[in-house]
Amino acid sequence: MGYWVAFLGGPRAAELMRYADPPGHPECMTAALSLCPHIAIGRHRRARADRPGAGIVPPGSHGDKPDRYLLGITRAYRTQFMPEHGFAVYLPAPFKTVRAYAYGPDGQLRPATDSR
């Protein structure tokens, strides 16, 4: 990773500063907003659990898709293993920049007005 890392998630993940998915390069995470069908298209749903590569929904997560995404950029983060659940969570340092994205009437994700 470079100097900056980015976290992408819903408002609740940003509020808790706790992510189930690892960070990525800011440019890659920005590209995911338009290239990943699950993120880019409002009506697109998560793959069924019985499909290869579908992943898991961590315990305590509802698995529902957020109505908006926040891309937070920071310099550092910690990883905390949750032995009782068998997975890790990622805890970013305070974000230097946060960009908000929301679904428009056409169901496509686009920049929202409340970025900082």
Side-chain angles (χ1 to χ4, degrees), residues 17-64:
M17 295 298 279
R18 184 174 171 158
Y19 291 79
D21 294 316
H25 293 97
E27 296 83 5
C28 295
M29 298 301 261
T30 300
L33 292 163
S34 61
L35 297 175
C36 174
H38 178 72
I39 297 170
I41 303 168
R43 71 180 185 284
H44 202 283
R45 296 292 168 229
R46 198 180 286 275
R48 291 187 333 253
D50 63 336
R51 295 190 63 197
I56 62 166
V57 176
S61 175
H62 51 69
D64 293 338

Side-chain angles (χ1 to χ4, degrees), residues 69-86:
Y69 283 89
L70 299 172
L71 178 74
I73 300 174
T74 185
R75 287 187 48 201
Y77 66 94
R78 294 182 303 114
T79 304
Q80 180 179 352
F81 182 67
M82 310 288 286
E84 65 275 17
H85 300 299

Side-chain angles (χ1 to χ4, degrees), residues 1 5-8 21-25 29 77 90:
M1 278 299 187
V5 296
F7 285 86
L8 182 62
D21 294 316
H25 293 97
M29 298 301 261
Y77 66 94
Y90 302 89

Side-chain angles (χ1 to χ4, degrees), residues 102-110:
Y103 293 102
D106 61 356
Q108 298 294 309
L109 194 66
R110 51 181 50 94

